[in-house]
Amino acid sequence: PVARRLGDLRDFGKPPAVAAALDRSAVYEHLYAKGGYHQSLGVTHALPIINERISRWVETKTRPTKRILDVGCSHGMGVQTLWNLGFRASGTDLATTAVDMATKARVPPGRNCDGDKCFKQGSAAQLPWADGAFDALMSTDVLEHVPKGLLEQTVREFTRVTREKLFLIIATALEWDLIVSGPTGSSSKIGFTQKLGGPAKLATLHETVEGPEWWIDLFQSASGGAWSCRFVKETNFVGRWKRGVAREAPKKFDYGALKPYVLDSHGQPMKACWLECTRRHA
């Protein structure tokens, strides 16, 4: 079952070290099932980029013709927001519990997603959709969680299922919460993942921390030059969290409680870069 959830990465001819790597699906399943990971159903990391970029991508009248995939959809609030704007959207997440949360919490208005399931469990390195199934792909605060050994395959999957645009937010710093499994923390700086324990030990949840130029070069090379990306801007997590609280969230949301999770390992506001990628047409 573990190999099936992870997508049996051996099928892609990756080195044994990659195939035998820690099962990230088990790590994130544990965080969702036992740690209250992303438990606020009215909050989405994606709201700022939806409002500032995706909503302006096409005219309102053409939105029902555009299909968007949210990779790393968590509890599905990002997909719900896209539905509310008139897009057809679907989501995928590595954790089965996240997909179950999304399926229960989000009801599409009409036929606003494709196929029999709006949300599917799957790895970013093996997306469970056909070639060119979507006009655009959105991924917020996901790629930094992917180990470097899987990133080229992940980029190939992003560009395989997408015809036109990629909208990405990628953290560019290590998170405060540096240990997934370990002894009970005695410091207030140690967050919930260390206290949890769990099925695997990771040095950090942000396994790939690089700047925007590095990511732009990766998408260029891994797509064989078929896609070009541009840097949009840099933001910090504190402002994005505040803008990410949607209407369904409690009116009195405790932003102070988020402090350990929106600071980097040096106690500074965690930075993230926004990238937009476009398929080059022959």
Side-chain angles (χ1 to χ4, degrees):
V2 166
R4 185 177 179 183
R5 288 199 307 274
L6 191 58
D8 198 1
L9 297 172
R10 291 177 179 84
D11 289 348
F12 290 112
K14 288 291 181 183
V18 173
L22 292 170
D23 179 19
R24 271 68 178 178
S25 65
V27 174
Y28 288 96
E29 178 61 30
H30 188 68
L31 290 176
Y32 272 101
K34 304 294 183 182
Y37 196 58
H38 292 189
Q39 63 182 338
S40 300
L41 296 181
V43 177
T44 173
H45 294 206
L47 190 60
I49 201 168
I50 292 174
N51 287 342
E52 295 180 34
R53 307 302 304 178
I54 298 176
S55 65
R56 302 174 185 177
W57 169 42
V58 293
E59 295 180 1
T60 303
K61 64 182 180 181
T62 63
R63 288 177 186 172
T65 69
K66 296 296 183 181
R67 298 175 174 87
I68 302 176
L69 176 63
D70 184 5
V71 177
C73 67
S74 186
H75 49 59
M77 187 61 206
V79 171
Q80 180 74 64
T81 304
L82 291 170
W83 290 341
N84 293 345
L85 290 173
F87 290 105
R88 299 174 70 177
S90 301
T92 186
D93 201 281
L94 189 58
T96 300
T97 295
V99 172
D100 290 343
M101 290 166 64
T103 301
K104 292 175 183 177
R106 315 301 172 193
V107 179
R111 294 181 56 82
N112 274 42
C113 57
D114 296 299
D116 57 341
K117 293 182 179 180
C118 295
F119 300 97
K120 297 182 182 181
Q121 189 278 333
S123 166
Q126 191 177 32
L127 296 171
W129 276 278
D131 296 1
F134 299 93
D135 299 287
L137 181 149
M138 174 179 77
S139 183
T140 57
D141 304 319
V142 171
L143 286 171
E144 68 271 16
H145 292 262
V146 178
K148 279 191 174 178
L150 294 182
L151 277 173
E152 286 193 9
Q153 176 60 35
T154 298
V155 171
R156 287 195 289 268
E157 282 294 277
F158 278 27
T159 56
R160 177 185 66 81
V161 302
T162 311
R163 292 191 290 270
E164 297 180 40
K165 296 282 287 188
L166 306 175
F167 298 94
L168 311 170
I169 298 180
I170 309 168
T172 54
L174 291 171
E175 78 282 9
W176 181 292
D177 212 5
L178 291 179
I179 307 296
V180 171
S181 181
T184 302
S186 58
S187 167
S188 62
K189 294 182 179 180
I190 296 176
F192 69 91
T193 51
Q194 179 165 351
K195 295 176 183 178
L196 262 182
K201 293 180 175 65
L202 294 177
T204 173
L205 291 180
H206 291 185
E207 298 191 60
T208 302
V209 176
E210 299 288 351
E213 291 301 323
W214 188 91
W215 288 103
I216 289 171
D217 289 345
L218 174 67
F219 274 85
Q220 165 84 12
S221 60
S223 69
W227 286 74
S228 63
C229 299
R230 69 180 185 90
F231 173 75
V232 177
K233 66 177 181 177
E234 182 181 65
T235 56
N236 67 62
F237 273 44
V238 176
R240 282 179 45 226
W241 266 100
K242 291 184 177 181
R243 295 195 302 277
V245 178
R247 297 173 187 173
E248 289 81 356
K251 292 182 179 179
K252 294 183 179 179
F253 197 82
D254 184 6
Y255 296 110
L258 297 172
K259 185 177 179 180
Y261 314 116
V262 296
L263 300 179
D264 65 20
S265 56
H266 300 289
Q268 299 300 312
M270 195 186 301
K271 301 293 185 181
C273 66
W274 293 29
L275 300 182
E276 243 173 65
C277 305
T278 305
R279 180 182 290 277
R280 289 185 171 124
H281 296 286

mmCIF file with all atom_site columns, all heavy atoms in Angstrom, residues 57 109 125 145 153 163 186 208 222 255:
data_model
loop_
_atom_site.group_PDB
_atom_site.id
_atom_site.type_symbol
_atom_site.label_atom_id
_atom_site.label_alt_id
_atom_site.label_comp_id
_atom_site.label_asym_id
_atom_site.label_entity_id
_atom_site.label_seq_id
_atom_site.pdbx_PDB_ins_code
_atom_site.Cartn_x
_atom_site.Cartn_y
_atom_site.Cartn_z
_atom_site.occupancy
_atom_site.B_iso_or_equiv
_atom_site.pdbx_formal_charge
_atom_site.auth_seq_id
_atom_site.auth_comp_id
_atom_site.auth_asym_id
_atom_site.auth_atom_id
_atom_site.pdbx_PDB_model_num
ATOM 1  N N   . TRP A 1 57  ? -6.310  35.995 -15.010 1.00 0.00 ? 57  TRP A N   1
ATOM 2  C CA  . TRP A 1 57  ? -5.711  35.262 -16.120 1.00 0.00 ? 57  TRP A CA  1
ATOM 3  C C   . TRP A 1 57  ? -6.612  35.278 -17.353 1.00 0.00 ? 57  TRP A C   1
ATOM 4  O O   . TRP A 1 57  ? -6.150  35.504 -18.475 1.00 0.00 ? 57  TRP A O   1
ATOM 5  C CB  . TRP A 1 57  ? -5.422  33.830 -15.660 1.00 0.00 ? 57  TRP A CB  1
ATOM 6  C CG  . TRP A 1 57  ? -5.053  32.854 -16.716 1.00 0.00 ? 57  TRP A CG  1
ATOM 7  C CD1 . TRP A 1 57  ? -4.209  33.043 -17.776 1.00 0.00 ? 57  TRP A CD1 1
ATOM 8  C CD2 . TRP A 1 57  ? -5.523  31.507 -16.810 1.00 0.00 ? 57  TRP A CD2 1
ATOM 9  N NE1 . TRP A 1 57  ? -4.113  31.893 -18.530 1.00 0.00 ? 57  TRP A NE1 1
ATOM 10 C CE2 . TRP A 1 57  ? -4.917  30.938 -17.952 1.00 0.00 ? 57  TRP A CE2 1
ATOM 11 C CE3 . TRP A 1 57  ? -6.386  30.739 -16.038 1.00 0.00 ? 57  TRP A CE3 1
ATOM 12 C CZ2 . TRP A 1 57  ? -5.159  29.620 -18.338 1.00 0.00 ? 57  TRP A CZ2 1
ATOM 13 C CZ3 . TRP A 1 57  ? -6.616  29.422 -16.416 1.00 0.00 ? 57  TRP A CZ3 1
ATOM 14 C CH2 . TRP A 1 57  ? -6.009  28.882 -17.560 1.00 0.00 ? 57  TRP A CH2 1
ATOM 15 N N   . PRO A 1 109 ? -20.301 23.150 -7.248  1.00 0.00 ? 109 PRO A N   1
ATOM 16 C CA  . PRO A 1 109 ? -21.552 23.636 -7.825  1.00 0.00 ? 109 PRO A CA  1
ATOM 17 C C   . PRO A 1 109 ? -21.683 23.151 -9.264  1.00 0.00 ? 109 PRO A C   1
ATOM 18 O O   . PRO A 1 109 ? -20.964 23.604 -10.155 1.00 0.00 ? 109 PRO A O   1
ATOM 19 C CB  . PRO A 1 109 ? -21.401 25.159 -7.763  1.00 0.00 ? 109 PRO A CB  1
ATOM 20 C CG  . PRO A 1 109 ? -19.918 25.390 -7.800  1.00 0.00 ? 109 PRO A CG  1
ATOM 21 C CD  . PRO A 1 109 ? -19.279 24.207 -7.147  1.00 0.00 ? 109 PRO A CD  1
ATOM 22 N N   . ALA A 1 125 ? 4.890   13.629 -8.073  1.00 0.00 ? 125 ALA A N   1
ATOM 23 C CA  . ALA A 1 125 ? 5.785   13.007 -9.046  1.00 0.00 ? 125 ALA A CA  1
ATOM 24 C C   . ALA A 1 125 ? 5.087   11.972 -9.911  1.00 0.00 ? 125 ALA A C   1
ATOM 25 O O   . ALA A 1 125 ? 5.695   11.385 -10.803 1.00 0.00 ? 125 ALA A O   1
ATOM 26 C CB  . ALA A 1 125 ? 6.969   12.346 -8.331  1.00 0.00 ? 125 ALA A CB  1
ATOM 27 N N   . HIS A 1 145 ? 8.654   21.049 -0.331  1.00 0.00 ? 145 HIS A N   1
ATOM 28 C CA  . HIS A 1 145 ? 8.529   19.815 0.445   1.00 0.00 ? 145 HIS A CA  1
ATOM 29 C C   . HIS A 1 145 ? 9.016   18.593 -0.336  1.00 0.00 ? 145 HIS A C   1
ATOM 30 O O   . HIS A 1 145 ? 9.116   17.501 0.239   1.00 0.00 ? 145 HIS A O   1
ATOM 31 C CB  . HIS A 1 145 ? 7.064   19.592 0.836   1.00 0.00 ? 145 HIS A CB  1
ATOM 32 C CG  . HIS A 1 145 ? 6.548   20.586 1.828   1.00 0.00 ? 145 HIS A CG  1
ATOM 33 N ND1 . HIS A 1 145 ? 6.478   20.337 3.178   1.00 0.00 ? 145 HIS A ND1 1
ATOM 34 C CD2 . HIS A 1 145 ? 6.077   21.849 1.666   1.00 0.00 ? 145 HIS A CD2 1
ATOM 35 C CE1 . HIS A 1 145 ? 5.981   21.384 3.810   1.00 0.00 ? 145 HIS A CE1 1
ATOM 36 N NE2 . HIS A 1 145 ? 5.732   22.328 2.905   1.00 0.00 ? 145 HIS A NE2 1
ATOM 37 N N   . GLN A 1 153 ? 11.335  14.850 -12.018 1.00 0.00 ? 153 GLN A N   1
ATOM 38 C CA  . GLN A 1 153 ? 10.146  14.079 -12.360 1.00 0.00 ? 153 GLN A CA  1
ATOM 39 C C   . GLN A 1 153 ? 8.876   14.859 -12.021 1.00 0.00 ? 153 GLN A C   1
ATOM 40 O O   . GLN A 1 153 ? 7.886   14.833 -12.762 1.00 0.00 ? 153 GLN A O   1
ATOM 41 C CB  . GLN A 1 153 ? 10.141  12.739 -11.623 1.00 0.00 ? 153 GLN A CB  1
ATOM 42 C CG  . GLN A 1 153 ? 8.893   11.906 -11.843 1.00 0.00 ? 153 GLN A CG  1
ATOM 43 C CD  . GLN A 1 153 ? 8.678   11.552 -13.298 1.00 0.00 ? 153 GLN A CD  1
ATOM 44 O OE1 . GLN A 1 153 ? 9.634   11.334 -14.045 1.00 0.00 ? 153 GLN A OE1 1
ATOM 45 N NE2 . GLN A 1 153 ? 7.424   11.491 -13.716 1.00 0.00 ? 153 GLN A NE2 1
ATOM 46 N N   . ARG A 1 163 ? -1.667  22.384 -20.076 1.00 0.00 ? 163 ARG A N   1
ATOM 47 C CA  . ARG A 1 163 ? -1.541  22.872 -21.446 1.00 0.00 ? 163 ARG A CA  1
ATOM 48 C C   . ARG A 1 163 ? -0.994  24.297 -21.537 1.00 0.00 ? 163 ARG A C   1
ATOM 49 O O   . ARG A 1 163 ? -0.305  24.627 -22.506 1.00 0.00 ? 163 ARG A O   1
ATOM 50 C CB  . ARG A 1 163 ? -2.907  22.827 -22.146 1.00 0.00 ? 163 ARG A CB  1
ATOM 51 C CG  . ARG A 1 163 ? -3.434  21.431 -22.409 1.00 0.00 ? 163 ARG A CG  1
ATOM 52 C CD  . ARG A 1 163 ? -4.646  21.471 -23.333 1.00 0.00 ? 163 ARG A CD  1
ATOM 53 N NE  . ARG A 1 163 ? -5.805  22.051 -22.681 1.00 0.00 ? 163 ARG A NE  1
ATOM 54 C CZ  . ARG A 1 163 ? -6.704  21.346 -21.999 1.00 0.00 ? 163 ARG A CZ  1
ATOM 55 N NH1 . ARG A 1 163 ? -6.559  20.035 -21.884 1.00 0.00 ? 163 ARG A NH1 1
ATOM 56 N NH2 . ARG A 1 163 ? -7.747  21.937 -21.445 1.00 0.00 ? 163 ARG A NH2 1
ATOM 57 N N   . SER A 1 186 ? 11.324  20.583 24.750  1.00 0.00 ? 186 SER A N   1
ATOM 58 C CA  . SER A 1 186 ? 11.317  21.319 26.003  1.00 0.00 ? 186 SER A CA  1
ATOM 59 C C   . SER A 1 186 ? 11.372  22.818 25.770  1.00 0.00 ? 186 SER A C   1
ATOM 60 O O   . SER A 1 186 ? 11.315  23.594 26.700  1.00 0.00 ? 186 SER A O   1
ATOM 61 C CB  . SER A 1 186 ? 12.530  20.911 26.859  1.00 0.00 ? 186 SER A CB  1
ATOM 62 O OG  . SER A 1 186 ? 13.734  21.143 26.142  1.00 0.00 ? 186 SER A OG  1
ATOM 63 N N   . THR A 1 208 ? 13.764  21.124 -0.057  1.00 0.00 ? 208 THR A N   1
ATOM 64 C CA  . THR A 1 208 ? 14.475  21.816 -1.133  1.00 0.00 ? 208 THR A CA  1
ATOM 65 C C   . THR A 1 208 ? 14.279  23.317 -0.954  1.00 0.00 ? 208 THR A C   1
ATOM 66 O O   . THR A 1 208 ? 13.186  23.838 -1.194  1.00 0.00 ? 208 THR A O   1
ATOM 67 C CB  . THR A 1 208 ? 13.969  21.383 -2.515  1.00 0.00 ? 208 THR A CB  1
ATOM 68 O OG1 . THR A 1 208 ? 14.122  19.968 -2.658  1.00 0.00 ? 208 THR A OG1 1
ATOM 69 C CG2 . THR A 1 208 ? 14.748  22.089 -3.616  1.00 0.00 ? 208 THR A CG2 1
ATOM 70 N N   . ALA A 1 222 ? 14.091  20.810 -17.017 1.00 0.00 ? 222 ALA A N   1
ATOM 71 C CA  . ALA A 1 222 ? 13.315  19.576 -16.881 1.00 0.00 ? 222 ALA A CA  1
ATOM 72 C C   . ALA A 1 222 ? 12.214  19.469 -17.927 1.00 0.00 ? 222 ALA A C   1
ATOM 73 O O   . ALA A 1 222 ? 11.777  18.364 -18.252 1.00 0.00 ? 222 ALA A O   1
ATOM 74 C CB  . ALA A 1 222 ? 12.717  19.488 -15.478 1.00 0.00 ? 222 ALA A CB  1
ATOM 75 N N   . TYR A 1 255 ? -3.936  35.017 14.823  1.00 0.00 ? 255 TYR A N   1
ATOM 76 C CA  . TYR A 1 255 ? -2.719  35.039 14.023  1.00 0.00 ? 255 TYR A CA  1
ATOM 77 C C   . TYR A 1 255 ? -1.481  34.796 14.878  1.00 0.00 ? 255 TYR A C   1
ATOM 78 O O   . TYR A 1 255 ? -0.490  34.261 14.405  1.00 0.00 ? 255 TYR A O   1
ATOM 79 C CB  . TYR A 1 255 ? -2.595  36.379 13.299  1.00 0.00 ? 255 TYR A CB  1
ATOM 80 C CG  . TYR A 1 255 ? -3.685  36.613 12.297  1.00 0.00 ? 255 TYR A CG  1
ATOM 81 C CD1 . TYR A 1 255 ? -4.664  37.564 12.525  1.00 0.00 ? 255 TYR A CD1 1
ATOM 82 C CD2 . TYR A 1 255 ? -3.754  35.858 11.128  1.00 0.00 ? 255 TYR A CD2 1
ATOM 83 C CE1 . TYR A 1 255 ? -5.683  37.778 11.610  1.00 0.00 ? 255 TYR A CE1 1
ATOM 84 C CE2 . TYR A 1 255 ? -4.770  36.064 10.209  1.00 0.00 ? 255 TYR A CE2 1
ATOM 85 C CZ  . TYR A 1 255 ? -5.725  37.026 10.457  1.00 0.00 ? 255 TYR A CZ  1
ATOM 86 O OH  . TYR A 1 255 ? -6.731  37.218 9.552   1.00 0.00 ? 255 TYR A OH  1
#
